[in-house]
Amino acid sequence: MTSVVTAGGISVTIRGPVLDESETVLDRLVYDGVPGALASRNAKLWGPDAAPLAARRLGWLGLPETSRSLVPRLAGLAARARDDGLDRVVLAGAGGTAPAAEAICRTAGVELTVLDTADPHEVARVLAAGLERTLVVTAGESLEADALRRVLARAFAEAGVEGEAAARRFVAVAEAGSALEGAAREAGWEVVPSEPDVGDRFGALGAAALVPAALAGADVDALLDEAYRLAGALRQPYDNPALAFGAALGASALGRRDKLVIADHGSGLAGFAGWAEQLVAGVTGKQGKGLLPIVVEGVDSPGFELTDELRRVILGRRPDEPGPGREAGVSVAGPLGAQFLLWEYAAVVAARVIGVDPFAEPDVGESLDSTAALLRSEEGAAPTVVHRPPALVSDAVEVHAPEELLKGARTLTEVLEALLEAVPEHGYLAVLAYLDRSGDARAADLRPLLAERGGRLRKRAAPVTFGWGPRHLHATGQYHKGGPPNGAFLQITGAVSGDVPVPGRPYTLGELQLAQAFGDLRVLRSLPRPAVRVHLRDRAEGLSQLVGALT
């Protein structure tokens, strides 16, 4: 059986057993009046305890219309930037809006440099590319966002760009009354207010994502048009693709298919799966429940094979059309603006079905607090991190892990296999790379290699996810700590050549990055979760060794 629900340019196709499972859930959602209540922004949909926060976090439902007011101002800012000769836009920020802005620009084919990392190699490369044409958009108040603002402001000053000229190089997206707004106005930067009733995870159609995208050259007016065409269907009990999709996601989580494997198959939405990953993990992964999103390279990639734990979602071609992956349970197709709204709506519907508060982030702060503790110092001294001897050294790679986890492993292959075997039943392995997304891009190759190796080692292959640190802290990090306690973790850190000081702070970017990695690892091990850290004494050589250990 196959069901195809279309509206507002979106098509959601549900095929096979998932259709029977989701129809019961869908009927209940309709009976409970969820479509109308959600469209009316009823904060009680997720229970009385969730209502106070939900009342302050449902503004995203109106963004396809309310964000229109930004368009004229953004056009003016873009024109001013062109007049100033600034045609290189750098987004310095963190959270869900960074991958949203990246997806908008990649899909539109315009260049946006996204910095949501403390990796000194990545930051140094952006600085070395030349600041004479650079306009910085800054958003968020995370440790890395603060550090990046300080580093970029100092770089402009050292390049002789000061006073009013320097102020014209920054645009801040900040909530009224926030520390960022105050600092930006004091520095004379342009300030675009962010929406007070939209959480960062749901801000794909809000100011924090649209400002950098528009300045980079994306047509945000067309993006909002795409979302608006779908918005009218969200009140409907039937012929509502977002409700049908949310029912399918919720039904999957209630059953045993709580791993959501996402593969792109001709959608044309570059980078969208990464944004969807942070949304689903953060919205549903708490109280020991949730859907674990797993982004794979394609429908033929290791990890997309059908198992009784996976719910497969294709972005693009419908599963009943000819081609690979036709037997997948769900596919979604449609333009980017509508897809943002579709997934946000479906995620909060799934949260209601699962029984969790979609807007709470009860476990995100643990790693942040642990990082802050590592960075805390006396009288301005640099942070101190206790280094323990590695359990194993193999040329350019150090292995740090408890002996009971390694089980006598003496090679990198044995270490990685020991970690795969330590994944709990019905669990997963997450690879967390605190490296340079461009310069160390080969790290992402480890995901399919580990998935393939795990399939050969175990009767039931463990799903493998991959994330860049610290981006994952604001994305899947909530699921890692708050979701089902069945994860195992491979953290990768790397040596730094040419660190970058953070002005006004007693640490460098490299020290901040290492503190973020150590802080996260400390929390994971305290839960406790099986976790191995590998440190690359030489990044290129170390990655080659890890890849070689799995091939």
Side-chain angles (χ1 to χ4, degrees):
M1 294 178 60
T2 300
S3 169
V4 182
V5 186
T6 61
I10 285 287
S11 174
V12 172
T13 303
I14 305 173
R15 179 185 177 93
V18 64
L19 182 58
D20 294 333
E21 298 166 8
S22 63
E23 279 188 339
T24 301
V25 173
L26 179 61
D27 289 343
R28 183 66 193 185
L29 291 168
V30 172
Y31 179 82
D32 289 344
V34 169
L38 186 51
S40 300
R41 306 188 192 183
N42 185 337
K44 298 179 181 179
L45 277 170
W46 302 276
D49 292 342
L53 180 58
R56 306 192 304 272
R57 288 292 181 268
L58 287 168
W60 55 273
L61 285 159
L63 288 179
E65 186 172 2
T66 59
S67 286
R68 298 279 186 186
S69 62
L70 286 171
V71 174
R73 184 175 182 187
L74 295 183
L77 288 175
R80 189 186 82 170
R82 289 193 299 271
D83 291 343
D84 290 346
L86 306 179
D87 58 0
R88 176 176 179 251
V89 180
V90 174
L91 171 59
T97 52
E102 192 168 58
I104 293 169
C105 291
R106 288 184 60 191
T107 299
V110 299
E111 183 178 354
L112 173 69
T113 300
V114 175
L115 275 181
D116 58 351
T117 177
D119 186 83
H121 293 186
E122 193 168 339
V123 175
R125 188 175 56 257
V126 171
L127 297 178
L131 296 174
E132 63 278 359
R133 299 184 297 107
T134 297
L135 174 66
V136 176
V137 179
T138 182
E141 301 195 37
S142 65
L143 283 170
E144 62 268 29
D146 172 76
L148 290 169
R149 284 192 288 271
R150 293 169 178 273
V151 167
L152 287 161
R154 171 68 62 85
F156 281 120
E158 291 177 347
V161 182
E162 299 180 298
E164 183 181 352
R168 291 172 71 90
R169 298 300 190 97
F170 284 88
V171 176
V173 182
E175 190 170 339
S178 66
L180 174 57
E181 186 208 32
R185 293 198 185 281
E186 184 178 352
W189 300 351
E190 189 80 26
V191 177
V192 178
S194 62
E195 303 79 9
D197 57 351
V198 177
D200 175 74
R201 205 173 294 285
F202 289 81
L205 297 171
L210 296 186
V211 170
L215 293 176
D219 187 346
V220 299
D221 201 22
L223 188 81
L224 293 171
D225 280 342
E226 294 166 357
Y228 188 76
R229 282 195 288 272
L230 176 65
L234 299 184
R235 187 179 289 273
Q236 301 171 181
Y238 297 104
D239 298 324
N240 181 340
L243 187 68
F245 188 28
L249 296 182
S252 297
L254 290 179
R256 295 184 60 184
R257 296 184 185 273
D258 61 349
K259 316 294 191 306
L260 191 71
V261 186
I262 306 170
D264 194 287
H265 193 52
S267 75
L269 309 179
F272 178 80
W275 173 84
E277 178 185 39
Q278 65 83 31
L279 175 77
V280 173
V283 169
T284 69
K286 56 203 76 171
Q287 298 175 19
K289 308 173 186 177
L291 280 163
L292 173 68
I294 304 165
V295 177
V296 300
E297 299 73 24
V299 294
D300 296 320
S301 299
F304 198 66
E305 302 88 354
L306 187 62
T307 75
D308 59 5
E309 294 181 24
L310 304 182
R311 174 63 67 221
R312 302 193 297 178
V313 176
I314 289 179
L315 297 174
R317 178 181 292 177
R318 283 171 27 198
D320 57 342
E321 292 178 341
R326 59 173 294 167
E327 73 282 3
V330 182
S331 78
V332 292
L336 181 61
Q339 289 270 17
F340 281 137
L341 190 58
L342 170 86
W343 283 73
E344 288 169 343
Y345 186 104
V348 299
V349 168
R352 175 183 167 87
V353 174
I354 297 168
V356 297
D357 178 352
F359 307 109
E361 296 182 332
D363 305 288
V364 166
E366 292 184 14
S367 292
L368 303 181
D369 291 344
S370 183
T371 298
L374 288 169
L375 290 173
R376 204 168 289 130
S377 56
E378 298 293 334
E379 299 180 357
T384 301
V385 176
V386 177
H387 293 276
R388 292 184 178 144
L392 176 69
V393 177
S394 177
D395 296 329
V397 179
E398 297 177 358
V399 177
H400 297 263
E403 287 292 343
E404 60 270 21
L405 175 57
L406 296 181
K407 295 182 178 179
R410 290 294 174 262
T411 67
L412 287 181
T413 299
E414 291 174 353
V415 167
L416 297 173
E417 289 184 346
L419 182 58
L420 283 166
E421 291 174 346
V423 176
E425 187 177 5
H426 307 301
Y428 65 95
L429 172 65
V431 183
L432 311 174
Y434 285 81
L435 298 170
D436 177 349
R437 284 202 300 157
S438 297
D440 302 321
R442 197 179 184 189
D445 294 341
L446 294 172
R447 195 218 67 80
L449 291 173
L450 284 163
E452 188 173 20
R453 178 62 62 104
R456 296 203 302 263
L457 275 178
R458 299 164 55 112
K459 293 180 180 179
R460 184 190 297 270
V464 181
T465 73
F466 179 88
W468 295 101
R471 174 178 285 198
H472 82 271
L473 292 177
H474 309 281
T476 53
Q478 168 59 45
Y479 184 98
H480 292 162
K481 287 90 174 176
N486 56 8
F489 300 88
L490 174 63
Q491 187 186 85
I492 308 174
T493 57
V496 171
S497 58
D499 210 343
V500 179
V502 179
R505 294 288 185 260
Y507 48 79
T508 65
L509 287 180
E511 289 168 337
L512 170 56
Q513 182 184 42
L514 196 60
Q516 289 176 315
F518 280 22
D520 193 36
L521 188 64
R522 176 185 288 178
V523 173
L524 292 172
R525 286 180 173 166
S526 71
L527 288 175
R529 307 279 195 270
V532 170
R533 180 173 75 94
V534 295
H535 182 73
L536 312 179
R537 294 179 171 183
D538 178 280
R539 294 191 179 199
E541 178 58 30
L543 287 174
S544 293
Q545 282 187 245
L546 289 174
V547 169
L550 293 166
T551 54

